[in-house]
Amino acid sequence: TRTRLSFESAILRLGAKLISTENAASNSSTRKGEILEDTIRVVEQYADAIVMRHSDDRAAEIAVSVSNVPILNAGSGKGEHPAQALLDVYTIRKHKKSIDGIKVAVLGDLKYGRTVHSLLQLLSLYDNVEFFGLSKKAFELPEEYVTMLKEKNLKYTVVNSFDELPKDLDVMYHTRIQSERFEGDFGREENIITQEVLNKFS
């Protein structure tokens, strides 16, 4: 809801027009067996750009491979959410002035949380950013992102509690448990940010 309304609001404020479907998963030809590539080939005939949110991790990549108009990735499965990352980095820069050298803690669902995946990739373009990961064992950051940071000479440290985070931390980025992406009960989130927690950091 938030992603859709923010994109639609931006489109209208910029003076463009839009056509949309509220839930293409249940209200489009995909229900009849149409593959994503064919859906994109049809929809691109109606528009100058396509904003797409999809449950498949590779949806945006697939769409780009066949589309003649720009594809804006508004979230692909548990993979990426680059539009959200742009907003997050804008917010960090607005408050911290500079991003180089900041210390960032990522918390919660680091395995399935697509927003944190995109944020780490975008922040990795800056210099000397240091990362800390705090999550349940089942939701640790996938190795591919740990490796990506290592290859860019950026430090990523796994911690087990708020007490292990540096007191001069600049950013806490918390994602919710993506319970819809797995079966089973993993219980409630243990690492909850409260005022008491915030008081620990300068």
Side-chain angles (χ1 to χ4, degrees):
T1 302
R2 291 180 294 274
T3 300
R4 179 184 177 185
L5 292 180
S6 63
F7 268 105
E8 291 189 358
S9 175
I11 290 167
L12 294 172
R13 291 183 186 197
L14 290 171
K17 298 178 181 178
L18 65 89
I19 53 176
S20 65
T21 177
E22 183 174 352
N23 188 347
S26 60
N27 299 327
S28 76
S29 294
T30 57
R31 293 285 291 176
K32 305 172 188 176
E34 182 176 86
I35 62 174
L36 177 60
E37 291 91 331
D38 288 340
T39 299
I40 294 298
R41 290 185 181 105
V42 171
V43 173
E44 73 173 4
Q45 304 301 316
Y46 309 144
D48 298 302
I50 298 173
V51 178
M52 186 177 72
R53 187 180 186 91
H54 202 283
S55 59
D56 190 308
D57 294 5
R58 295 185 58 247
E61 182 181 343
I62 292 169
V64 166
S65 72
V66 299
S67 179
N68 292 307
V69 301
I71 301 292
L72 301 180
N73 183 357
S76 288
K78 64 181 183 299
E80 305 295 339
H81 198 332
Q84 180 67 52
L86 286 170
L87 177 60
D88 292 333
V89 169
Y90 167 81
T91 302
I92 294 170
R93 183 162 184 167
K94 182 177 179 181
H95 287 277
K96 302 304 296 185
K97 308 307 177 189
S98 175
I99 294 178
D100 292 333
I102 64 172
K103 296 180 180 180
V104 180
V106 288
L107 304 87
D109 188 347
L110 309 183
K111 183 174 182 178
Y112 300 104
R114 58 190 169 203
T115 60
V116 74
H117 297 163
S118 289
L119 178 64
L120 290 177
Q121 291 195 71
L122 195 49
L123 288 177
S124 74
L125 300 176
Y126 293 85
D127 295 327
N128 302 315
V129 179
E130 189 172 353
F131 300 94
F132 301 84
L134 176 56
S135 67
K136 290 185 176 182
K137 186 73 175 176
F139 299 100
E140 289 183 342
L141 188 67
E143 189 58 37
E144 64 184 284
Y145 296 101
V146 176
T147 300
M148 179 269 296
L149 294 174
K150 184 176 181 180
E151 289 175 347
K152 296 190 177 186
N153 295 316
L154 296 173
K155 187 177 180 182
Y156 179 78
T157 304
V158 175
V159 299
N160 298 304
S161 70
F162 286 114
D163 291 335
E164 294 181 27
L165 292 171
K167 301 307 178 186
D168 58 346
L169 192 70
D170 295 291
V171 176
M172 274 192 193
Y173 190 85
H174 204 308
T175 65
R176 70 176 179 85
I177 298 298
Q178 305 281 313
S179 57
E180 69 272 19
R181 302 198 184 282
F182 58 86
E183 294 182 3
D185 181 14
F186 286 86
R188 65 191 293 273
E189 174 58 56
E190 297 173 347
N191 302 304
I192 299 173
I193 300 175
T194 63
Q195 187 61 52
E196 182 180 359
V197 168
L198 292 176
N199 291 339
K200 297 176 182 289
F201 304 94
S202 57

